[in-house]
Amino acid sequence: MTDADEISTTRTTPWWMPDFAGSVVGLICAVLSVTPSLLPRPAILQGALAAFSFAIGYLLGAMLWAAIRRLLRRGPAPRTRHRWWIAYAAAWVVVIGVLSLVAVAWQNEVRTLVSMPPLGGSDIVSFLLAFVPLAILLLLAGKGSRVLFSRLRRRLGAVFAASISVVVVAGALAGILFAAVASVDRIYFDRNQFADASVSEPESDFRSAGDASAIAWDSLGRHGAAFVGGGPRADEISTLTNGRALEPIRVYAGLASAPTIQERAELVVSELERTGAFEREFLMLATTTGSGWLEPQTMDAFEYLHRGDTAIAAMQYAYTPSWVSFVFDPDAPVEAARVLFEAVEARWSELPVEDRPELITYGLSLGAHGSQSVFSDIDDLRTRTDGALFVGSPNGSALWQSLQNDRDAGSPAWQPVLNEGREVRWISRAGDDGLLSGPWDRPRVLYLQHATDPVTWLSPELLWRAPEWLDADQRSPDISPAMRWIPVVTGLQVVVDMLMGEAVPASYGHNYGDVVVTAWQQVTWSSLDDASVDRIQAEIETYATIIRADHRSESNHALPCRITTTWDMIRHHRA
């Protein structure tokens, strides 16, 4: 071999040619991104995630190889280099094909566990159509940044070039983020202004925005209007329960109903007085999700079980989805829940103990976080209320964390037992209420919690520390055996799982509609006979497709006829 046959390691290559080390690390990251997590992901979304993972891995690999290459004196001969690139191109084709097959196989494993039909050949095509073009686009964007840096370095020097490049890239990313957030805010602001066309302004005196109400219909917001304009009426409850029923009371104050949280809370108390809510058997204080939404299944089940002898009060604190509200104003649900509870509690406490309604606190998702934050601990909660139901509690809720950490030895994180269930219990599905045979003292506190709910299990620590719910002795049978904790990757996967939290059947993810009837029976107790309760359960199940846990052993070939589209399953939940 002559000197002419050798090439310096500093030899330049065409700008468009991919970096070998960067590609290897990028493909490794892409493979890691398709490993199983809590919930299945659509093929197109998985392809996009794999592309972004590839881009991040490519950047890290290219930077590492650049540092190593500086330490090498000689590079490969041109002929060897040419052969390497041929093999490299062939390997790309093989690896992408294998990646597609593995991604679909792993997703099908997760889909089986959550009673969803398997993906097919067309989904492999969808994965490739999302992964390949986006990966190329991100690769070109990265190389364009490198070209910009190289040209600036020749003109201005390395320090100035690096500074300008960082400013340009950071500015572009910040601009994209700002535009995305602004678009989300504008979309949900506009949505909040108008009630759904299917909802009518109430005429009942027992509803906010009714004839005698001080709250205007157009001040309620989209979800507030749906709440006061929806729900069962007395005659519907009577028909379902075969007995006399009262007209349920629903009180709601929207963001436009009063300018401050305190004024909205006072308006709610005034409405409770006007409607006679303090004379009902049960008074529920519900903290909404970020957009002001209250789950119809849970609200209606509560009213059916108690034949309308109920009052439900809530107020809006934001109009954006829960994740946006939490990121940009995490104190909003906490402050709203506290102010409303204290305002109602002050009036409720003035009533004779034997004449006042049972005071119940409730929250779903971000609403559960707000409702729990009102109380310092479990004793404070049970002292100030007559029962509590928290559904899909976020991981960051202090009360939830303390109870989880204090659970009895041997009980799993996804379904804890605390003090043998004497004060607080956790259930996931109908039937779980019979798992503990010991006494459950009143007031009762109940958490609805799924092992596959990303809202409950997402925490910052997931990025750098393995969670106990993935330990062998803690893992739920609903979680794929192939799911393993991977630093950073698992945390990002669970973030993406939050997008799919309602896109799975009930009994999984962030869907709890199949168990709310059981939950209210446990927390508040109903005197209805079993036949009436069964009819209520059947009615609630018509709100969205529900696949029970006992169907999981059935063949997947039978599943498509019992699964509706994602929209059908979440049409009542656009929070």
Side-chain angles (χ1 to χ4, degrees), residues 132-412:
V132 175
L134 184 56
I136 293 175
L137 181 63
L138 293 172
L139 187 61
L140 292 176
K143 285 187 168 293
S145 300
R146 181 180 179 182
V147 170
L148 173 64
F149 171 74
S150 298
R151 292 182 176 179
L152 290 174
R153 182 175 60 181
R154 287 194 297 269
R155 293 170 179 259
L156 304 174
V159 175
F160 286 106
S163 300
I164 293 175
S165 298
V166 168
V167 169
V168 170
V169 173
L173 293 176
I176 293 172
L177 179 61
F178 177 81
V181 172
S183 297
V184 170
D185 184 83
R186 170 51 60 181
I187 290 171
Y188 282 92
F189 177 81
D190 293 340
R191 283 172 58 94
N192 186 62
Q193 302 307 304
F194 305 101
D196 191 276
S198 63
V199 179
S200 301
E201 186 173 349
E203 298 178 356
S204 171
D205 289 339
F206 297 102
R207 302 290 174 110
S208 291
D211 292 339
S213 176
I215 296 179
W217 171 252
D218 58 4
S219 74
L220 292 174
R222 182 183 184 87
H223 293 305
F227 172 66
V228 302
R233 301 304 192 263
D235 58 340
E236 297 173 313
I237 297 174
S238 296
T239 299
L240 201 62
T241 61
N242 288 335
R244 178 179 175 273
L246 300 177
E247 189 70 25
I249 294 172
R250 292 192 171 193
V251 171
Y252 191 100
L255 285 173
S257 298
T260 67
I261 290 179
Q262 187 65 50
E263 289 175 292
R264 289 197 290 275
E266 293 171 357
L267 192 56
V268 168
V269 174
S270 176
E271 284 284 280
L272 292 175
E273 291 274 16
R274 179 188 65 79
T275 56
F278 292 108
E279 300 171 8
R280 293 298 175 96
E281 182 181 4
F282 292 96
L283 170 57
M284 183 211 300
L285 298 185
T287 305
T288 71
T289 62
S291 60
W293 183 78
L294 292 168
E295 187 184 44
Q297 289 105 312
T298 311
M299 301 297 102
D300 293 6
F302 182 73
E303 293 171 338
Y304 276 122
L305 283 170
H306 301 294
R307 287 183 169 151
D309 197 3
T310 60
I312 304 175
M315 67 182 191
Q316 188 178 20
Y317 55 84
Y319 55 79
T320 50
S322 290
W323 68 269
V324 177
S325 300
F326 181 77
V327 169
F328 292 98
D329 194 1
D331 294 331
V334 174
E335 182 68 5
R338 181 190 64 80
V339 171
L340 178 60
F341 187 90
E342 290 179 353
V344 175
E345 180 187 35
R347 178 66 186 93
W348 175 80
S349 299
E350 296 174 354
L351 302 172
V353 174
E354 63 276 9
D355 293 334
R356 65 193 185 193
E358 291 194 24
L359 186 61
I360 308 298
T361 183
Y362 160 82
L364 163 68
S365 195
L366 191 57
H369 173 65
S371 293
Q372 292 177 82
S373 300
V374 173
F375 311 100
S376 58
D377 54 32
I378 191 66
D379 292 332
D380 183 38
L381 169 59
R382 299 180 71 243
T383 298
R384 299 169 64 187
T385 71
D386 295 297
L389 175 61
F390 303 123
V391 182
S393 175
N395 190 274
S397 300
L399 179 59
W400 178 87
Q401 285 186 340
S402 66
L403 298 176
Q404 288 275 144
N405 293 336
D406 293 340
R407 70 183 186 275
D408 297 349
S411 65

